Amino acid sequence: RMDQALLLIRNELPAPGLNLAARSGSCHQCLYQFLAFVPPSNESLRKPGTASVMVDTQHPLTLLLNSSEGDRDLCKIQYHFGEFGNYSLVVKTLNTQTVSCDLIVNEGPINSYLPILFAFLVYMAVLAILIAGRLLMKIDPVRNWVYKKLNPRATDRMINSELGSPSTTDSVNCDPTPQSWSTGSRPRLRSLDTFRGLSLVIMVFVNYGGGKYWFFKHESWNGLTVADLVFPWFVFIMGTSIALALGSMLRWGSSKWKVLRKILWRSFVLILLGIIVVNPNYCLGPLSWDNLRIPGVLQRLGFTYLVVAALELLFTRADSGTWEGQFPALQDILPYWPQWIFILVLETIWLCLTFLLPVPDCPRGYLGPGGIGDFGKYPNCTGGAAGYIDRLLLGEKHMYQHPSSGVTYQSTMPYDPEGILGTINSIVMAFLGLQAGKITLFYKDQPKQIMSRFIIWGIVMGIISAILTKCSKEEGFIPINKNLWSISYVTTMSCFAFILLLLIYYLVDVKKWWSGAPFLYPGMNSILVYIGHQVFANYFPFKWKMQDSQSHAEHLTQNLTATTLWVIISYILYRRRVFWKI
């Protein structure tokens, strides 16, 4: 099968036989898992005992061979097997005291990463063609010839328009980008839509399967993969949008009560869409409350938006950006000190609940995955306080039933990565995004100030992450963990977000070297693309029956095709000025 190799064990030792166990390199402090019993050799027939097993190729494995009687360890081997490879492990005696374990490659593995390289080259070729076409269209004879071939009757009108002939359409803004974000004179920041679109496109790709590569799936527990980056970035840029949108609505004369009603309505709709539309699998039957999952991505977004937007509305002013005080360098922070106190109180609540809440049959402050992790001492403690609160308040049937820890750590308890306790830190994440929005407001028309403050915030968040994690995946005070939405996860993702937003802002809005395409288009229709890709995930042309379901290449082709289709759909909607706003 995909991500597996064949291992043949050849035992030339006499009775009593061998036990083969394995432990994945991605499984921290895990128990060895039994793989196979290898019978002893038959000395009369001079025939070795043999057994064959399938071993995982996604991460390095530690193989442990011991005697089936007395449990004496004979040898331990660390090896990273290759996909579809064929291997032999030969166990024999060199002398009366020494046992030899030799790993032999019978048939070499395939390179399962070649499809990624090929897909990259295809997309680069398409990009090169588009860039070349755009450059050619700047040449007048080529542009006029193309216009003539596409629409001969309108050739003269198009040429005259390019030459600047006055017409009634000249004064109309043909850019379909809506201009409702900020002040009447300020253009929309395309970098924000580009950032949001980049996060969304990666999210769609990994949700569709990511070619079944392990690094496009969520990390089993502590640590990061590509899939763990996108949701917090989406939360971050939502916070940035809140700062710009609320200030704009107040400057246009909307009352705070009217804005609050809009915030409440949008939050309600997001939560309702998540529970009724996205979470249920209607292919399995009608909606049933008995096992309906309550938390979810849209629910987390809706509640986070409600808290952060209401917090900002409470303290924002229509003339925000004109504050002057003793510390002008902190004008985006000091006027909002009550907000910071509120966020610090929230974070204190998270820390107290996480590390001080008693959880039955679990150590206080437990942050592990349960199952076979921590040497199997706490099998039913998945997520510690976070999992306990969800099971207590929501009930096990209303939580996510297949957490990412289930495969590697073999945990059996339901655990929801979008649970109640983690929502506190998603609010913190959105608030840090709100800070980025305030920076763009207070330092408008000062790109150097904006970029320098993005760098400072990125460095500060990175330093906090380094302290919390001790620059280690497993050994820090608070490890980076997407399932828990740990505070170190939030600071790390905020560090990445500030730096990434800085780069996109510089390329798109400052230098204008990049239009933001193609990520700009899904970024401007994010809710439609997200809900659409969930609802139509199992329908053609986003999914079809594969000839070989054990091929990374076929999965990658299907997932990239589906993701590209959503980018094309968002582009068509962009050109037709169709934007679904809640």
Side-chain angles (χ1 to χ4, degrees):
R1 295 175 63 87
M2 191 164 45
D3 296 324
Q4 287 185 340
L6 175 65
L7 176 63
L8 175 68
I9 305 94
R10 180 187 175 101
N11 180 18
E12 297 182 2
L13 303 180
L18 303 175
N19 287 328
L20 175 66
R23 181 172 65 193
S24 171
S26 66
C27 196
H28 180 62
Q29 293 184 341
C30 287
L31 296 171
Y32 280 93
Q33 299 301 296
F34 175 79
L35 290 183
F37 169 74
V38 188
S41 64
N42 190 324
E43 294 183 352
S44 60
L45 299 177
R46 295 184 179 181
K47 183 178 180 181
T50 60
S52 60
V53 293
M54 299 298 174
V55 291
D56 180 66
T57 62
Q58 297 181 85
H59 304 281
L61 287 182
T62 300
L63 299 177
L64 179 65
L65 271 170
N66 54 35
S67 173
S68 59
E69 292 183 5
D71 205 27
R72 181 172 65 93
D73 293 346
L74 298 179
C75 58
K76 183 185 293 185
I77 299 174
Q78 291 184 338
Y79 193 78
H80 195 167
F81 295 92
E83 186 176 27
F84 297 133
N86 188 315
Y87 303 84
S88 290
L89 179 60
V90 180
V91 185
K92 58 185 178 181
T93 55
L94 297 179
N95 51 56
T96 56
Q97 300 294 328
T98 307
V99 175
S100 169
C101 298
D102 299 320
L103 190 64
I104 302 170
V105 180
N106 302 322
E107 184 178 343
I110 67 169
N111 189 338
S112 58
Y113 303 117
L114 282 179
I116 297 179
L117 175 61
F118 181 76
F120 174 78
L121 294 176
V122 169
Y123 277 97
M124 288 299 100
V126 172
L127 178 62
I129 293 172
L130 292 175
I131 293 175
R134 188 168 185 176
L135 294 175
L136 286 174
M137 288 296 289
K138 291 183 178 181
I139 303 175
D140 288 342
V142 175
R143 182 172 64 251
N144 295 338
W145 180 82
V146 172
Y147 286 160
K148 185 176 181 180
K149 290 296 182 180
L150 291 177
N151 193 354
R153 295 183 180 181
T155 300
D156 293 338
R157 179 179 60 81
M158 289 185 173
I159 293 176
N160 290 336
S161 175
E162 292 294 330
L163 293 175
S165 299
S167 68
T168 57
T169 59
D170 285 345
S171 60
V172 178
N173 180 14
C174 295
D175 186 359
T177 306
Q179 303 291 332
S180 60
W181 265 42
S182 53
T183 64
S185 59
R186 289 191 70 211
R188 182 182 178 103
L189 287 175
R190 298 170 72 93
S191 55
L192 303 186
D193 292 316
T194 304
F195 184 102
R196 184 189 300 108
L198 173 63
S199 305
L200 182 60
V201 167
I202 301 175
M203 184 184 295
V204 170
F205 173 65
V206 299
N207 285 349
Y208 276 151
K212 300 298 181 182
Y213 291 99
W214 68 267
F215 43 81
F216 290 137
K217 300 176 184 178
H218 291 294
E219 183 63 81
S220 55
W221 200 248
N222 293 334
L224 288 175
T225 64
V226 175
D228 298 320
L229 304 176
V230 289
F231 186 28
W233 285 353
F234 202 86
V235 173
F236 180 91
I237 206 65
M238 180 181 70
T240 308
S241 303
I242 288 173
L244 300 176
L246 293 189
S248 174
M249 286 188 284
L250 292 176
R251 282 190 292 273
W252 280 102
S254 298
S255 68
K256 285 194 173 184
W257 284 111
K258 181 178 179 181
V259 176
L260 180 60
R261 287 196 297 269
K262 186 172 183 178
I263 291 172
L264 292 171
W265 172 251
R266 189 181 192 201
S267 303
F268 171 75
V269 172
L270 284 173
I271 294 171
L272 190 66
L273 286 172
I275 295 176
I276 303 299
V277 178
V278 175
N279 277 4
N281 187 347
Y282 289 102
C283 295
L284 300 179
L287 180 67
S288 172
W289 175 255
D290 293 339
N291 55 3
L292 178 66
R293 181 190 176 199
I294 297 176
V297 170
L298 288 183
Q299 296 90 308
R300 171 75 63 91
L301 286 175
F303 189 79
T304 300
Y305 173 81
L306 173 63
V307 174
V308 176
L311 185 65
E312 175 66 4
L313 180 65
L314 185 62
F315 293 98
T316 194
R317 306 184 305 273
D319 62 341
S320 60
T322 61
W323 180 83
E324 295 181 1
Q326 293 182 335
F327 305 99
L330 300 176
Q331 62 175 320
D332 55 330
I333 299 176
L334 291 182
Y336 299 96
W337 62 267
Q339 292 180 339
W340 285 95
I341 290 178
F342 177 81
I343 292 299
L344 289 175
V345 169
L346 272 185
E347 189 55 39
T348 302
I349 293 173
W350 183 86
L351 290 170
C352 290
L353 289 175
T354 300
F355 292 101
L356 300 179
L357 181 69
V359 179
D361 302 321
C362 302
R364 190 165 297 188
Y366 181 71
L367 300 176
I372 62 174
D374 300 294
F375 304 112
K377 295 178 181 177
Y378 318 110
N380 297 323
C381 294
T382 304
Y388 174 67
I389 290 173
D390 288 341
R391 291 190 292 270
L392 186 66
L393 300 181
L394 301 176
E396 293 187 6
K397 292 185 178 180
H398 300 294
M399 298 167 57
Y400 190 54
Q401 300 297 312
H402 307 288
S404 57
S405 59
V407 177
T408 301
Y409 289 93
Q410 300 181 21
S411 55
T412 57
M413 299 295 290
Y415 180 83
D416 208 303
E418 279 77 50
I420 296 172
L421 193 57
T423 305
I424 292 177
N425 280 341
S426 70
I427 292 171
V428 176
M429 185 82 195
F431 184 76
L432 292 170
L434 183 76
Q435 187 62 36
K438 290 176 182 176
I439 290 172
T440 61
L441 284 175
F442 286 120
Y443 298 98
K444 57 185 177 182
D445 304 323
Q446 301 179 62
K448 290 184 178 179
Q449 286 284 352
I450 292 174
M451 291 188 292
S452 64
R453 293 190 74 82
F454 282 174
I455 291 176
I456 292 171
W457 275 99
I459 292 173
V460 169
M461 291 295 106
I463 291 173
I464 295 174
S465 296
I467 294 172
L468 292 175
T469 63
K470 299 182 182 179
C471 298
S472 167
K473 178 181 176 181
E474 304 285 354
E475 305 301 331
F477 300 109
I478 304 178
I480 296 173
N481 191 294
K482 191 267 179 187
N483 283 286
L484 296 171
W485 269 73
S486 61
I487 185 59
S488 58
Y489 175 66
V490 169
T491 54
T492 303
M493 292 299 96
S494 298
C495 170
F496 294 166
F498 274 111
I499 301 303
L500 181 60
L501 183 57
L502 162 68
L503 294 175
I504 296 176
Y505 173 73
Y506 179 76
L507 294 174
V508 175
D509 287 320
V510 178
K511 291 298 185 179
K512 302 187 186 301
W513 290 339
W514 179 28
S515 67
F519 305 114
L520 174 74
Y521 313 125
M524 296 184 68
N525 247 323
S526 55
I527 298 299
L528 185 146
V529 172
Y530 179 79
I531 294 178
H533 100 275
Q534 292 276 16
V535 172
F536 296 102
N538 295 317
Y539 296 92
F540 184 83
F542 306 103
K543 190 173 184 179
W544 59 82
K545 186 177 181 180
M546 299 182 184
Q547 292 184 348
D548 183 6
S549 62
Q550 299 304 316
S551 166
H552 279 293
E554 285 207 42
H555 282 281
L556 186 65
T557 300
Q558 184 179 89
N559 301 152
L560 285 175
T561 300
T563 305
T564 304
L565 284 174
W566 282 112
V567 174
I568 294 172
I569 290 170
S570 63
Y571 173 74
I572 294 172
L573 295 175
Y574 173 88
R575 299 304 304 174
R576 294 180 178 272
R577 306 188 186 189
V578 177
F579 303 98
W580 185 24
K581 305 294 182 182
I582 297 176

